[in-house]
Amino acid sequence: MGRHLFVIGAAIAVLCGCTQKVDGEPLYSAKQCRRVAIIDATTGAATVGAEDLAYDASGGRVFISAYDRRKVEHEIANNAFEISQGGIYAAPLLALTGDDATITLASIVDRDSIAGGLRPHGVSFDPDSREIAFINRSYQRINGKWAMTAQVERADADGAVYISSSGAARCSANDLVTLGAQTFVSFDHAHCGWRGGVEDIIGAKDSGIDTADGADIFDGAGHANGVTVTDGNQLALAATRDQALLILDSNGDGAQLVRKIPLPGAPDNLTTTKDGAVVAALHPSLLAIGLQRRLGLGRSGSRIVRVDPETGAITLLFDDPAAKLYSAATVALEIGEILVIGSVADRGLVVCKRSEAAT
């Protein structure tokens, strides 16, 4: 029933028109951007669903968290004997900004080292501990059916997985970030399954942030998504359905909302620049991303903005509302005058370089 209601609602939204508009020209134009295909060295297949990125500045590498969600969902629905896996890739920044349209990479995390398979969802990198952390969707066959468990997994910068994982997270765990000795995990619904669908229908604001050991420190967001740390050691949380960035103060036992910044679109994953700005990937149309992700229909626009977490000032970095170059962007890294963009649904990455005229 939930899918039927979604389709009816989507049809109404199409008639009404719901693509968020934005004024001004982006700092990175389509002419300054190019597609880069990532080929898995083990399977030989082009990666789909590079949903999240993290940057290792000292190593000059971009960590890529990728797996093809629609393919996996189709396999589960058909009770396939095996379910596809993804990878955590480390792409040298020099390779991404070079002339090659295709880069072949092996997953630095061994798929056999993750119980239930490697399907990373949200990734972060702590430059102090040199630790990669990611949410993993592991699947086990129970009573003849596939059952998913979300896990917080950790690895060193070379991909060696730590034996002691933080363990099971909420089924709706979405993204994570480390602040000091604490790891914070966002959850996009209070429940999963049909109850999560009800939350969407009624517009519930029951999502938020847990600690890695399961303590609930904040709820009250409409579909909490990406999370990052500002240079003021505050948490920045993407509230997708609220189309806003939430700035939170955390004292370890809880988190308080100190600022809500409206955005020209629905935010997905977040990253922080060297200068402390928050870079947010936005969906200009929630309808379009919903149709593409859930039903495999059409393409959805991509928009990237830079946000000052103190003043709320917004700079448009990249805008492709008609998805002519790239569909469903969910994350971006701004590294100097380079923009690297990933997508939950499209192939590979988009890499943009600002020209001297644009600077």
Side-chain angles (χ1 to χ4, degrees), residues 279-301:
V279 174
L282 309 181
H283 301 297
S285 168
L286 276 174
L287 166 65
I289 182 62
L291 288 173
Q292 183 176 13
R293 267 290 295 119
R294 299 303 176 189
L295 302 180
L297 299 177
R299 291 167 63 82
S300 55

Side-chain angles (χ1 to χ4, degrees), residues 331-342:
V331 65
L333 289 168
E334 190 179 26
I335 307 164
E337 295 180 353
I338 296 167
L339 191 68
V340 183
I341 308 172

Side-chain angles (χ1 to χ4, degrees), residues 177-180 184 227-238 245-250 258-259 261 270-279 307-312:
V177 71
T178 299
L179 175 57
F184 296 96
V227 61
T228 192
V229 175
T230 73
D231 62 349
N233 284 336
Q234 293 178 314
L235 295 174
L237 177 66
L245 182 68
L246 308 184
I247 306 300
L248 309 169
D249 271 335
S250 172
V258 296
R259 192 172 303 110
I261 303 172
L270 310 173
T271 60
T272 305
T273 69
K274 181 180 179 181
D275 297 331
V278 174
V279 174
V307 185
D308 186 320
E310 292 294 328
T311 67

Side-chain angles (χ1 to χ4, degrees), residues 29 43 58 86 114 137 155 160 277 296:
S29 70
T43 66
S58 64
I114 303 292
R137 307 289 191 186

Side-chain angles (χ1 to χ4, degrees), residues 136 149-153 165-171 173 185 210-214:
N136 191 67
T149 302
Q151 298 278 141
V152 175
E153 299 286 355
S165 167
S166 296
R170 288 183 189 245
C171 59
V185 181
D210 287 339
T211 61
D213 55 10

Side-chain angles (χ1 to χ4, degrees), residues 196-232:
V198 171
E199 291 177 37
D200 290 337
I201 292 169
I202 66 175
K205 296 182 184 293
D206 296 329
S207 64
I209 297 176
D210 287 339
T211 61
D213 55 10
D216 184 358
I217 68 162
F218 174 79
D219 56 32
H223 194 105
N225 205 317
V227 61
T228 192
V229 175
T230 73
D231 62 349

Side-chain angles (χ1 to χ4, degrees), residues 146-166:
W146 290 107
M148 188 275 287
T149 302
Q151 298 278 141
V152 175
E153 299 286 355
R154 303 178 189 276
D156 65 24
D158 295 321
V161 175
Y162 299 147
I163 295 175
S164 57
S165 167
S166 296

Side-chain angles (χ1 to χ4, degrees), residues 16 104 150 168 225 284-285 288 353:
C16 296
T104 299
N225 205 317
S285 168
K353 293 190 288 186

